Structures are given as C-alpha cells and as structure tokens.
C-alpha cells in the first residue's frame, strides 16, 4: 500500500492513520553547528514524569522502549515510536526538539524539517522561517479521539538544551566549576547510583589488593632477620608491559623508542563505554605501550567531541581512575560537546609534534573512535599532509559503526608513505591483551622502516 504525503504549516496538524509504529525523522540540509535532537515524553502538564522519559543521545530510549532514538549523522536523526505501547501509557504527547550544539542560531539553519511516516501516511513539516533562537520545538505527536496526530509547532526557545530540558521537567545536574574535573550530565538519581557503584567497586578492589598483599607477605621467606621485607608492586600496568614486550619482540621493534599518545572519542554515543569503564581499561592498555616504548615513559592524552582538549600527560604510576578524574563521560551541557570533530583534534596533534615539539623520533598515535565519521575530505587531507612527518596513526574502531574514510586508508592516495592503519573491534573487552597489541603493531613496523629510509625519522 502506497502512503500519501501531507505537508503541514505552522500550527496545523494531520493524522498518522492506523499504524502500529511511526518513524519520526529530523533533518536539515545545512547548519552552522551539529544538531542535538531530543524527545520529551510529557504528561498533561507538559512535563516528563521522570528523567527517564527524556530521550536523547545519552539516553536513547525510555524504560519501556516506546521511543527509540538513532542518530544518523550530525544533521540527521530518527525516532522509532511504538504507537500501540504509547497509547496504553500515561504519556500524553511526544515533543520533538532540536538545539544547536555550537555557534549560530536557527536563522542560519537551512532545509530543516520533521517527517512522521507510517505505513499509511507521511506527514512533513518544513521550517521555512528562520528563528534567532538556538533551540526549536519542532512538533508534537499526540493521541486524538480519531487517532494519533502530528502538530507542527515551530516555536523558538531561548537558551540551549539545558533550559529547554528543564522547561519540560527534566532534572538536569548542575555544571561544576571549570576548575574541578567535569562530571557527566546525567539525571541526579542516575549520577548517585553511578557514584555508589563506583565506590563499591573501588572498595572491593582495595579489599582484594590487601588480601593479595597479606598472602604474598606471609608466604615470602626472609633470607635475613634484619633484611627489609619485600614490597609488593600492585601496578597492573607491569603485567600489561610484559605482554607489550612480547608483541614488540615478535615485530622486531622492541628497541625502538617513540613518543606515544592516545586520543579518546568523547562524543555522546560513547557514553555507555565511559560509564562501564571500557574507556579507562582501554587507557590502561595503551598506557602500557607508552611505558614500554615511550622515550620518557609519559603518554600524551587528548579527548575530543565537537571540541578537543589536551589533557595531563600521564605515566604508569598515575593510571588509577585517570579517565574518571580527567573526563569521566561525554557531557550534554558544556565540556567538549557531543559531536564528532576528528579534524580538529588531528590538527592539534600535528601542531604539537611537528611545530611545537619537532623531532626525528617516531610519534605513535592510538586513536579510539566509535564511528560517525563523515569529515572524509578534511581527514584525508590531514593524513596526506602529515604523511611526510614523523607521525603514525593507529585508528581503533569501537563497535560495528560507520567509520567512513578509515576503512579505506589503504586506498588513500597522495601520501609520501602509508602512515595509518585501522581495525575495528566489536567489543574491546572481549579482545585479549596479546591480540590487541599484535593488532596495534600490525603496520607500524613497516612504517618505521619506510620512514627511516626516507629520512623522516632517525636511523
């Protein structure tokens, strides 16, 4: 059965027809900034009954999975809504809104529209009048006596996503002072639960460590009554370093020193990996690489989303809770934003190692991303421009996502030499340390050989 298309003007409404589900798509053709898309599942008072009913990139579904959110790219997103479940819930309507995560206002946004499509009808609302605000309530999906309808709202809202969310009853955690480590913008109750869980895990780890120390000391024989008791090294990086050493020896590069850096994707879609501690564990595994082959044992660190930031460099004795203390999770309000801006952080890396701290020593970069890569031309140009420099890029994909140009690095022409490698992991925690290190050093040895032959790095 073909669907009929209904176009709305501001204030008008149209029926969605009898259908079990509806796909609501939000898009624009051009925008000065990335779009933060959200859905507020509100009651008759226009407020959410709890923060669980604020659906956005950090919370892509409500508890009953009535509304499920899927971002497509920086200007396109969609929601799949179970109308049958929505009808039997206490939710009166779903309010769809967008906010600019960056400069400009909606007067600068072009081709913005919301589309609700079922097996029966397709309702389209195009926003043709520019607004000077940075947030915009697009439309409302609600139940009428004749069935579900979509109403075109097109109402501008002053302020960013935080005041917009609060206006719909969301309890948003307050921003911390910039002098303190940033905290994730999650509902207060969730934050408390996360903190309690973290404290429990830390206590359990400490208890285990104490038990291990006592066991080790009780079993240790002293060769002399006056000899000082041996110290137990609990640094988990030591064990990882042994595994790094094995991989380096297999690749015949165990004597090669390098500057080592790690870059972490901090975009909104990474939130679960931060919350589950995956990013911290990835950090520790790469820190072992730096401790093994960095010239001074220090590892440089960047986090990036819409913006990027150099963080405090770290050595193997400073690994505990590094991510939690430095950038604990993607931030909805403030922080580095929620988008993906790989070119920005890549340019800063190149600047640091070629302009600020030029050297003939190799620079080995481990770049973690969970996808959503669309800046193909900019990324390609940066890789080409840096191919004659002392930088090797090892990209690691987290999950089965859209990694764009990274999957086609071997076909990237115009480079002085092949200066980048990529592999994707469905689940980083399921990959053994040995396998991970072998993959990390897959193409790096050949780059070292080629870069040395061209005089890019020291012989």
């Amino acid at each position: 059965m073909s669907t009929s298309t209904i176009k709305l003007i501001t204030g008008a409404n149209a029926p969605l027809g009898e259908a079990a589900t509806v796909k609501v798509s939000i898009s624009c053709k051009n925008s000065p900034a990335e779009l933060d898309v959200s859905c507020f599942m509100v009651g008759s008072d226009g407020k959410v009954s709890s923060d669980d009913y604020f659906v956005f990139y950090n919370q892509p579904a409500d508890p009953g999975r009535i509304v499920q959110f899927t971002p497509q790219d920086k200007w396109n997103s969609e929601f799949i809504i179970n109308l049958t479940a929505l009808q039997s819930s206490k939710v009166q309507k779903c309010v769809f809104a967008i906010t600019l995560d960056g400069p400009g206002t909606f007067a600068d946004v072009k081709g913005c529209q919301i589309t609700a499509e079922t097996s029966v009808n397709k309702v389209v609302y195009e926003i043709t009048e520019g607004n000077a605000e940075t947030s915009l309530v697009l439309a409302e999906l609600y139940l009428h006596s004749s069935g579900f309808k979509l109403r075109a709202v097109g109402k501008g809202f002053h302020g960013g996503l935080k005041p917009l969310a609060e206006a719909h009853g969301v309890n948003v955690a307050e921003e911390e002072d910039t002098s303190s480590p940033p905290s994730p913008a999650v509902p207060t109750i969730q934050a408390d639960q996360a903190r309690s869980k973290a404290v429990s895990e830390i206590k359990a780890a400490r208890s285990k460590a104490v038990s291990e120390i006592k066991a080790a000391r009780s079993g240790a024989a002293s060769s002399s009554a006056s000899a000082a008791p041996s110290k137990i090294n609990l640094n988990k990086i030591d064990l990882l370093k042994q595994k790094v050493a094995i991989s380096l020896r297999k690749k015949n590069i165990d004597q090669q020193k390098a500057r080592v850096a790690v870059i972490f994707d901090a975009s909104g879609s990474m939130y679960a990996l931060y919350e589950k501690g995956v990013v911290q564990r990835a950090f520790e595994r790469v820190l072992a690489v730096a401790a093994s082959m960095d010239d001074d044992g220090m590892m440089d660190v960047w986090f990036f989303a819409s913006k990027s930031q150099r963080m405090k460099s770290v050595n193997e004795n400073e690994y505990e809770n590094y991510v939690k203390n430095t950038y604990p999770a993607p931030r909805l309000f403030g922080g580095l934003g929620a988008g993906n801006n790989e070119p920005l952080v890549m340019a800063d890396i190149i600047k640091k190692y070629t302009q600020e701290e030029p050297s003939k020593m190799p620079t080995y970069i481990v770049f973690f991303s969970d996808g959503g890569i669309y800046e193909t031309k900019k990324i390609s140009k940066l890789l080409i421009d840096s191919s004659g420099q002392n930088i090797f890029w090892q990209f690691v994909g987290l999950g089965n996502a859209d990694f764009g140009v990274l999957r086609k690095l071997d076909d990237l022409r115009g480079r002085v030499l092949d200066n980048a490698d990529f592999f994707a992991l469905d689940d980083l925690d399921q990959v053994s340390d040995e396998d991970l290190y072998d993959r990390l050093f897959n193409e790096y040895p050949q780059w070292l050989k080629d870069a040395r032959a061209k005089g890019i790095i020291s012989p």
Side-chain angles (χ1 to χ4, degrees):
M1 180 185 296
S2 61
T3 60
S4 59
T5 300
I6 304 172
K7 291 192 174 183
L8 296 180
I9 60 173
T10 303
N13 63 72
L16 299 181
E18 295 184 4
T21 62
V22 59
K23 179 174 74 174
V24 175
S25 304
I26 297 171
S27 64
C28 75
K29 294 180 180 178
N30 189 42
S31 170
E34 188 166 351
L35 301 180
D36 279 339
V37 180
S38 53
C39 173
F40 302 96
M41 303 170 67
V42 303
S44 57
D45 60 352
K47 310 284 187 180
V48 295
S49 58
S50 79
D51 298 337
D52 292 336
Y53 293 90
F54 171 34
V55 181
F56 64 116
Y57 72 85
N58 260 0
Q59 187 166 262
D62 64 282
R65 301 187 69 81
I66 298 173
V67 176
Q68 299 184 60
F69 171 58
T70 305
Q72 305 298 311
D73 55 44
K74 64 177 182 177
W75 294 340
N76 297 273
S77 299
E78 70 178 35
F79 296 88
I80 301 297
I81 301 169
N82 184 332
L83 295 177
T84 304
L86 181 61
Q87 184 171 358
S88 59
S89 74
K90 295 182 180 180
V91 176
Q92 295 294 309
K93 60 184 177 181
C94 294
V95 180
F96 301 95
I98 50 178
T99 301
L100 291 177
D101 182 24
T105 69
F106 276 95
D108 307 309
V109 177
K110 307 299 179 185
C112 182
Q113 70 175 31
I114 180 170
T115 301
E117 185 172 6
T118 68
S119 58
V120 181
N121 283 342
K122 182 177 181 179
V123 181
V124 181
Y125 172 45
E126 298 179 354
I127 294 84
T128 58
E129 298 179 0
N131 295 273
E133 295 87 0
T134 55
S135 296
L136 183 66
V137 176
L138 292 170
E140 301 172 342
L141 187 154
Y142 63 99
L143 182 62
H144 187 263
S145 58
S146 60
F148 280 101
K149 289 187 173 185
L150 186 76
R151 176 185 292 117
V153 178
K155 180 182 178 182
F157 191 94
H158 289 287
L161 185 53
K162 183 175 186 290
L164 176 68
E166 290 175 333
H168 288 88
V170 178
N171 180 23
V172 179
E174 289 298 322
E175 288 289 318
E176 293 186 0
D177 186 85
T178 55
S179 61
S180 302
S183 60
V186 295
T188 303
I189 294 176
Q190 292 180 348
D192 289 340
Q193 292 174 339
R195 282 192 291 269
S196 297
K197 180 181 178 182
V199 169
S200 298
E201 291 175 346
I202 291 171
K203 288 180 178 178
R206 287 176 177 170
S207 177
K208 181 180 178 182
V210 170
S211 298
E212 291 175 347
I213 292 173
K214 290 180 178 178
R217 286 180 174 172
S218 63
S222 175
S223 59
S224 169
S226 61
S230 59
K231 294 183 179 180
I232 305 299
N233 191 340
L234 298 180
N235 190 336
K236 68 173 69 173
I237 306 302
D238 280 347
L239 179 59
L240 292 174
K241 283 166 59 179
Q242 296 174 25
K243 298 176 181 180
V244 172
I246 293 173
S247 289
L248 293 176
R249 283 196 297 270
K250 285 194 295 185
K251 303 292 184 178
N252 294 317
I253 56 172
D254 51 311
Q255 300 301 313
Q256 178 67 61
K257 292 299 182 181
R259 298 183 293 187
V260 179
V262 66
I263 290 81
F264 286 112
D265 185 341
S267 60
S269 55
M270 286 283 293
Y271 185 82
L273 298 184
Y274 279 79
E275 187 178 47
K276 294 176 182 177
V278 175
V279 175
Q280 171 68 25
R281 291 189 287 277
F283 161 80
E284 292 167 0
R285 293 165 92 174
V286 179
L287 181 58
V289 174
S292 299
M293 72 181 199
D294 192 275
D295 61 322
D296 61 2
M298 299 296 292
M299 182 171 72
D300 298 325
V301 185
W302 276 262
F303 287 78
F304 82 97
S306 301
K307 297 175 284 187
S308 74
Q309 186 174 347
R310 299 183 195 182
M311 301 300 184
K312 176 184 177 292
S313 297
V314 60
N315 64 34
E316 61 182 294
N317 298 314
E318 303 170 296
Y319 73 91
E320 290 190 25
N321 297 320
Y322 180 86
V323 173
K324 179 182 177 182
N325 295 332
T326 305
Y327 201 79
R331 304 185 70 188
L332 175 59
F333 309 111
L336 300 178
N340 291 80
N341 194 346
E342 294 83 8
L344 185 66
V345 67
M346 290 177 68
D348 192 45
I349 292 166
I350 295 170
K351 178 182 178 182
K352 175 179 173 64
Y353 295 119
T354 65
Q355 298 179 30
E356 298 175 8
E357 301 175 14
S359 172
K360 283 286 188 177
M361 180 173 289
T363 304
Y364 179 73
I365 308 293
V366 182
F367 196 117
F368 287 101
S369 169
D370 74 336
I373 294 172
Y374 52 85
E375 295 280 13
T376 297
K377 291 183 178 179
K378 292 182 180 179
I379 294 173
S380 298
K381 186 176 187 306
L382 286 164
L383 289 174
I384 292 170
D385 290 347
S386 65
S387 64
Q389 305 289 349
N390 61 333
I391 299 175
F392 180 82
W393 305 85
Q394 178 59 66
F395 294 96
V396 181
L398 302 176
N400 185 19
D402 178 13
F403 294 106
V405 67
L406 299 186
R407 291 193 182 276
K408 304 175 182 179
L409 289 176
D410 290 339
D411 300 325
L412 184 58
R413 299 181 179 180
R415 290 179 290 174
V416 175
L417 49 79
D418 186 350
N419 61 338
D421 185 31
F422 169 79
F423 63 87
L425 302 171
D426 289 337
D427 188 341
L428 183 62
D429 279 344
Q430 296 302 312
V431 178
S432 69
D433 297 322
E434 294 83 356
D435 187 20
L436 177 64
Y437 293 135
D438 283 348
R439 294 195 196 189
L440 287 176
F441 303 131
N442 180 36
E443 293 191 12
Y444 179 58
Q446 184 61 48
W447 175 83
L448 286 171
K449 181 179 179 181
D450 294 343
R452 193 175 295 117
K454 290 184 177 293
I456 294 173
I457 61 175
S458 300

